[in-house]
Amino acid sequence: MTENHAHHPHYAELVDADGAWRYTNRLIDETSPYLRQHAHNPVDWYPWGDEAFEQARQRGVPIFLSIGYSTCYWCHVMERQVFESPTIAQQMNEQFVCVKVDREERPDIDDLYMTATQLMTRRGGWPMSVFLTPPGGAGADDPGLRPFWCATYLPPAPMQGMPGFPQVLEALSGAWHAQRTEVLEQAERLADGVGESLSESAAPGPIDPVLIPRIANAVVQTYDPEHGGFGGGPGAAPKFPQPATPAFLLALQRDSDSDSGSGGEALWRKIEHTLDRMARGGMYDQVGGGFHRYSVDAQWLVPHFEKMLYDNGQLAELYATAYASHPDSEHHDWFGWIALGIGDYVLREMTDPTGMFWSAQDAEVDAQEGLNYLWTPEQVRAALPDEPDAAFAVALYGIQAGPNFQDPHAPDAPPMNVLYLPQTLDRFIAEQGATLEQVRETRDRINAGLYQARSRRKQPGTDDKVLTGWNGMMIAGLAAAGGTLGEPRFLDAASRAADAIAEHMAVPDRQGGGLYRTYRAGNAKIPGFLEDYAHYVHGLIQLHRYRSSSTVYLDLAERYTEMAIERFAHEQGGYYDSLADQQDLFVRTRGTYDGAVPSGNSQMVHNLVDLYELTGKREHAQRAARDLMSFATPMRERGGAMIHMVHALHRLMQAAPGVMPITAAPGQGSGLVRLAAEPATLELRDGTGRLTLRLTIAEGYHIGTATPAGGAVRATTVSVFGADNITLRVRWPDGEHREYSSAEGKLEVYEGEVSVAVDLVVAGEVPDSVTLQLGYQPCTDRQCEPPTTVSVEVGLLKREG
């Protein structure tokens, strides 16, 4: 309990006259800062595990499961109001076995019961309050742990339509004893729903050729033209950074020759605008560097003040990539400053003595949101006694416009200022009549003064546990920032962290090898999850890319990728999130949602593409293709929620276009080009045969010929997929010569229906079939979609003579 005691209504009941804690529970022996925050609650908390489960079995009472994390504002509120109350705690202890879980240590448990909460309540969040059946509840062999009632925050008494927590306890305890059959039936239905939601059991299949541009266009439609950002449209709030989304669009933009729509300069302007507005807003800590979790408004102005390592790792990589890929951008230097600011913040405030990185910083101080980060004009002038510097700060950070923040949870607190940049850096420089270097020098000086003053304030709590996966994201961000900005200290820090994980977080080979999930104060524990392997490997790969004096990190990346495949691979492709045979999970999940942390499945495919690019080993590309095809159905149905995986699909098609059989579903006309082969089964004489490929191009679209000239559209190609002993001789017909507004001069293109003669030659053994793949770029007269492919399978029959 680090806050002012005045904010704890039950504090006097928790300590003796000499200030000693009156209550201590089993969480005192845990390493998680979140669990240890609750170690002196009067609730008889158990950590998740066999001791709690056996206690519930013996007592025959349900389990109350509370899931949260150390920097969660409403978790703090429920602790102060509910879990610190001796009266409520007594009821909890008598009627339930009470279990606490840190969602950051156990994302697998969090995923299961968050899905249950969303299914039951149509919303989610933390703290999560879930009631579970006990082991043995439906018979001696019943493993229990099925959820039967779910909620998030619950107040100590009825409020705003929410029931009071004591009333919930009484009702559910009564239901368990008086209506057990109905409770068990509800638990089974809810558990089945969770399994259906998280198992991703659809069979592998072909991938729609227009999936990538279709999803890109859908995302672009959610762009906010006034404030930037993707996901909610104009004026949407709250706003989350969602780094995977602009990273995907940036990759498309770099790989596209188009000049509008979902590619080219118009797309870059949307990405550039978004990155600029995010960095100018209060969501970015203008004084100390690093990004807060999200913006509560549409303007990126007022943040929810917690800082998460995973956000800052991804955003450091994103800003470094934008900086490197667009040196002519008006925001080029600004984006470099932001990447530097993130790196400096993490090295200064979030680095463990081992060299690894801590997890998060809290949003509140003394139960007030963002108190450490807020300013009044008087405080700014006191911190900057030199009047020109103070005036510069007031102008630069929008203080002259008046206060912009009022804590909704502390209505009596005076309004204050979240620092932000109300105008672009270029415009501010012009108004000041200064140079970029002069503004940078002055900004660095005033920030040093403000940071020094801020450091004398009471600081938000830091969750100082180390998580392998989150460290991988930060290692990647520092490597990218260090490599693109020429900052060896960032590369050194990334290397130290990667080496420290290999030293402190690696399970010894004699114990089976692998990675641990979490580390704190010399204690590593909990077997790593898929996301730990995937994101750590990404960090290793980025270190190799930017510090490739040896192959040590590349070799380590290949080793842990192979280990992840061995431990998590699904038989049809893709991966489970957790290890096999975990008795405390009623579903082995196979997650695909790319949220604040991209899914382990998505990152694994990216890693395989990287390894193919770096090593040239085709098996990496083939494994990536197999994994992607295993998620064909969910990508088609909800690709916008799998944006990092769609990005990986795009990368694979660029890096190894012949390895991925992409096809439109037959008869549905979902592709812009449909492909058929005549005959469908080809007779070969002496290993040779001729067939005709029939192309049907959607109305209003054209594709290039094999030699379109002009560079405005990619050449169309035909290739063999997955067979090394087959060659093709393609007889391309002449195209039509057309003029388009998006290109200079005439282009030779195909439109409508086109027939292409193909001679197929097999050397050696004749396979039963072959897949032919057409690579093309569909265009209208105004814009082009990203290049894609469509495939057709042709049966082969061998005839002699």
Side-chain angles (χ1 to χ4, degrees), residues 477-502:
L478 285 172
T484 58
L485 299 169
E487 291 287 345
R489 60 202 173 92
F490 290 168
L491 287 167
D492 291 342
S495 294
R496 281 194 300 272
D499 295 344
I501 289 174

Side-chain angles (χ1 to χ4, degrees), residues 299-370:
Q299 296 82 17
W300 306 102
L301 175 59
V302 175
H304 178 51
F305 288 92
E306 65 184 320
K307 288 182 176 180
M308 310 302 294
L309 186 70
Y310 57 75
D311 282 324
N312 284 285
Q314 293 176 84
L315 288 165
E317 187 171 5
L318 175 62
Y319 277 91
T321 303
Y323 170 88
S325 62
H326 288 79
D328 297 329
S329 165
E330 63 179 302
H331 299 301
H332 177 253
D333 293 310
W334 175 234
F335 291 164
W337 290 10
I338 299 304
L340 283 169
I342 296 171
D344 284 335
Y345 153 69
V346 170
L347 267 58
R348 184 180 61 245
E349 298 188 31
M350 297 291 284
T351 303
D352 187 79
T354 61
M356 298 184 288
F357 305 116
W358 294 329
S359 297
Q361 288 181 317
D362 213 334
E364 64 171 28
V365 173
D366 284 343
Q368 287 187 250
E369 277 264 356

Side-chain angles (χ1 to χ4, degrees), residues 683-688 798-801:
E683 290 190 6
L684 301 177
R685 296 188 180 276
D686 298 326
T688 301
K798 183 179 178 180
R799 292 286 186 267
E800 300 295 342

